[in-house]
Amino acid sequence: MNATGSRPDQPNGTVLTADELSLLRSVQDRLVPGDGQMPPAHATGAAIAVDTYLAERTELRAPILGVLRAISIATAVHDPAHAGFAHLDGDVQDEILHKVEASEPEWFDCLLVQTYTGYYTDPTVQAVIGVPSPLQPAGYASMMQPTFDERRLDRVRATARPWREA
Amino acid sequence: MTDLADVLVIGAGASGAVVAWALARAGRKVVILEQGDWIDPSTYPQHRADWERFRQTTFNRDPNVRKLPEDYPVDVTDSPIDPLMFNAVGGSTIHWTGHIPRFRPSDFRVKTLDGVADDWPLDYWELEPYYDANDAYIGVTGLNGDPSNPPRTPRTFVPPALDATGEAYVRGLEKLGWHWWPSDAALITRPHGTGRLGCNGCGPCDIGCPIGAMSSAHVTYVPDAIRHGATLITRARVRELVLDDRGLVAGAAYYDRDGHLQVQRARVTVLGANGIGTPRLLLNSKSARFPSGLANSSDQVGRNFMFHPVAVVRGVFEEHLNSHQGPVGALINSQEFYETDPARGALRGYQLQLVRDSQPVGAALGRGPGRRLPWGKGHHEAHRKEFSHGLTIVVMAEDLPESHNRVTLSTTNTDAHGIPAAKLTYTLSQNSRALLDHGIARATELLEASGAHTVTHDRLTRVAGWHLMGTTRMGTDPSNSVVDRWGRAHDVGNLFIVDGSIFVTSAPVNPTTTIQALARRTADWLVDHFEEVAG
């Protein structure tokens, strides 16, 4: 894998190979695992979203491809049998990710930012959280009724320092 | 070469749009050059589920991040704050919270009252009718009667009732006995004007309002200017102003959307390109007559740059506050610490802009590296505790003008048309630092009084350079100012500047309503004196 970001796109218009996408899904599941109603990352569009961001923003390619490569290398060190990251025990996966986070903090941070972005912009996640997806046209219209109670300002009217005349 | 216009306006943002509207309404032939384009309302991110990702790309407020063809880079290597702006029809009123407090009378008499900076060559009362007229025209939600500000006309719309977010703030404010008032907000809660819907509280006003509820220039002054006959040319990147034999501005040379160089001639030229774009254009307009840049005989073009330095203080609460709901930046304003108090160890003051909090992605990302929510098993629990449980206070200090804080031309960067980019050199003053430190302590006190269990802050927020002021300041003395009390360049009689560049001081409040009031005042004067000043 070339982490310079200069690698040509995949034939289907995406950036990640099938192996990289698979690795990314496994990694994202450790970053954002399932919890109660919140789905694990692999059950959302988070990995595809990151691939889309890579296609649109070439400046993301070096860090994201770089961190995936670093995870692959760290996995090989941990796992001489070469079963791959996805087949490791969860605690071992986390240990690998912590090591990469420490050795490549900027790349790892980039992966985290894009993973969180992909995860929390997924409609299934938004539905669980309870935010409109999309925000428009519904918004939160009921909160905008013009019903401010001016009596709430009585204390301010009585005590506020006046403006300086000039 | 194009037809001769009466008035050429450069920039279709908050200020340029005002002048274009006023002069077109008065029957003048007006041409507006705007380097950006119209934003199709259907393309605003809020129409998409993945809207939050566009904060990182095409709807980012930082041109150095956005890097759209219509943007120009700003070299910020010598600034601790990044300048923010948007280049489109409507300008930076698209990336806007619509929080529009006015200056106070004391803000125009800083030298007289506090012995620093300079007084303005006009006073509040001269500007007051223009504030009122601007508010009535664009549509403002708010309440008059704030005892800490001069009386003003009734606002267009009454604010909504305090929601959980507002109640939490008020709980602390009342406990401390501090000033607070519902923000004057440049937004409408009922249909108003042409094609504008009432706000439905969707939240992220700062990436543009897709329904026209924010009273931004592209839904107010610009369409009305066009209705009155103004011609708007978009994707027009002005390279320089050109002079006639008399040393008056004859018009502007600009690259059209196809990259061809054009010249728009005009009898009067008005700059509304913001506190960085305007000095950049003047400095790029060198000639034998003006070798250091147009209108720059005083060497003041680009100097005295002022931000509003910002410190963000955030509290986290046990209770669910729904603080992601509603217009993000226009909720409550506390001006308890507005005026000078020597006990603070600094002159002038600051406002506490009490705003709403992050959306789901924003809550997960925190504010910068190291503030991300933890990944792994604890992530969801952390997100549940953060998202919609936070209140954010923007401590906005008055910055004072300093000659060494300035905009110059970059010697290494250019925009897409090869025009030298702007370079910003800015140092936070000791006075501004002291104001921010005081404000951080008070905002922390407020959040704790409101019930926050955790309070964190940035000492100085880097991505907060919304307000760009002071770089072609107004004054009566041509040796130390660039424009006169009407915004007319001392050196060039048919050149006017109407954006935040002309501010003498910054006050501790968001500047847009003052920019628009000043622009209306200049436009009125220009209507009455056009033949005297036109080239």
Side-chain angles (χ1 to χ4, degrees), chain B residues 98-372:
Chain B
H99 185 242
I100 55 165
R102 295 181 184 182
F103 278 29
R104 291 183 182 187
S106 59
D107 293 319
F108 297 87
R109 292 289 175 268
V110 174
K111 180 79 170 178
T112 300
L113 293 173
D114 294 322
V116 290
D118 284 296
D119 290 345
W120 288 57
L122 70 155
D123 63 21
Y124 175 87
W125 306 109
E126 189 173 339
L127 203 55
E128 184 192 41
Y130 297 99
Y131 275 128
D132 287 339
N134 187 60
D135 288 347
Y137 173 78
I138 66 174
V140 170
T141 294
L143 286 175
N144 58 346
D146 177 359
S148 289
N149 277 275
R152 56 193 64 172
T153 51
R155 315 289 73 198
T156 323
F157 297 102
V158 173
L162 290 172
D163 56 5
T165 305
E167 291 288 3
Y169 277 129
V170 169
R171 192 162 60 220
L173 289 160
E174 289 297 306
K175 204 179 286 182
L176 296 169
W178 289 359
H179 170 270
W180 66 275
W181 204 261
S183 297
D184 263 8
L187 65 83
I188 55 174
T189 55
R190 292 285 180 275
H192 180 80
T194 305
R196 300 178 60 196
L197 301 177
C199 175
N200 61 16
C202 81
C205 319
D206 55 316
I207 57 170
C209 180
I211 59 173
M214 296 292 293
S215 302
S216 307
H218 66 293
V219 296
T220 54
Y221 287 108
V222 176
D224 276 358
I226 292 170
R227 272 191 281 276
H228 286 296
T231 300
L232 170 63
I233 303 173
T234 58
R235 295 299 293 272
R237 164 70 53 69
V238 177
R239 190 183 74 181
E240 62 186 298
L241 301 182
V242 294
L243 301 180
D244 65 16
D245 294 342
R246 300 166 293 171
L248 296 174
V249 175
Y254 70 97
Y255 293 100
D256 67 18
R257 64 172 57 237
D258 298 318
H260 299 130
L261 193 61
Q262 308 279 357
V263 173
Q264 174 62 55
R265 297 183 304 133
R267 300 179 66 198
V268 167
T269 295
V270 180
L271 299 183
N274 84 39
I276 290 179
T278 286
R280 176 190 178 222
L281 177 54
L282 292 173
L283 293 171
N284 271 318
S285 300
K286 293 186 175 81
S287 63
R289 192 188 294 258
F290 297 103
S292 59
L294 190 59
N296 195 24
S297 65
S298 61
D299 189 33
Q300 295 300 301
V301 171
R303 293 190 183 274
N304 305 299
F305 178 86
M306 295 174 284
F307 279 122
H308 282 127
V310 157
V312 172
V313 185
R314 181 168 184 270
V316 186
F317 293 70
E318 290 292 344
E319 66 196 284
H320 195 279
L321 298 169
N322 283 328
S323 49
H324 62 292
Q325 301 180 8
V328 62
L331 176 60
I332 292 172
N333 190 16
S334 174
Q335 298 193 344
E336 181 69 20
F337 307 100
Y338 192 103
E339 300 282 3
T340 291
D341 178 355
R344 277 179 226 144
L347 295 167
R348 310 301 297 161
Y350 58 88
Q351 74 167 349
L352 299 175
Q353 186 178 345
L354 312 178
V355 306
R356 293 186 166 88
D357 204 48
S358 303
Q359 300 286 340
V361 172
L365 297 183
R367 290 192 305 278
R371 298 276 182 89
R372 315 279 183 235

Side-chain angles (χ1 to χ4, degrees), chain A residues 94-108:
Chain A
D94 287 353
E95 189 182 335
I96 289 171
L97 294 179
H98 281 300
K99 281 186 177 170
V100 173
E101 184 176 25
S103 64
E104 301 292 353
E106 289 183 12
W107 287 359
F108 195 90

Side-chain angles (χ1 to χ4, degrees), chain A residues 30-99:
Chain A
R30 300 311 302 172
L31 300 179
V32 190
D35 180 13
Q37 287 187 297
M38 298 301 288
H42 85 263
T44 71
I48 295 297
V50 171
D51 202 13
T52 302
Y53 307 157
L54 292 175
E56 293 173 356
R57 300 171 60 191
T58 55
E59 76 275 13
L60 295 178
R61 295 183 186 186
I64 297 291
L65 296 177
V67 76
L68 291 177
R69 183 177 65 170
I71 292 168
S72 296
I73 292 170
T75 302
V77 171
H78 252 279
D79 174 30
H82 299 297
F85 183 87
H87 299 283
L88 296 176
D89 180 75
D91 290 341
V92 175
Q93 290 176 323
D94 287 353
E95 189 182 335
I96 289 171
L97 294 179
H98 281 300
K99 281 186 177 170

Side-chain angles (χ1 to χ4, degrees), chain B residues 12-36:
Chain B
S15 60
V18 171
V19 176
W21 164 80
L23 272 294
R25 197 173 65 144
R28 292 293 170 187
K29 181 179 177 182
V30 175
V31 174
I32 314 166
L33 297 180
E34 167 54 50
Q35 62 192 332

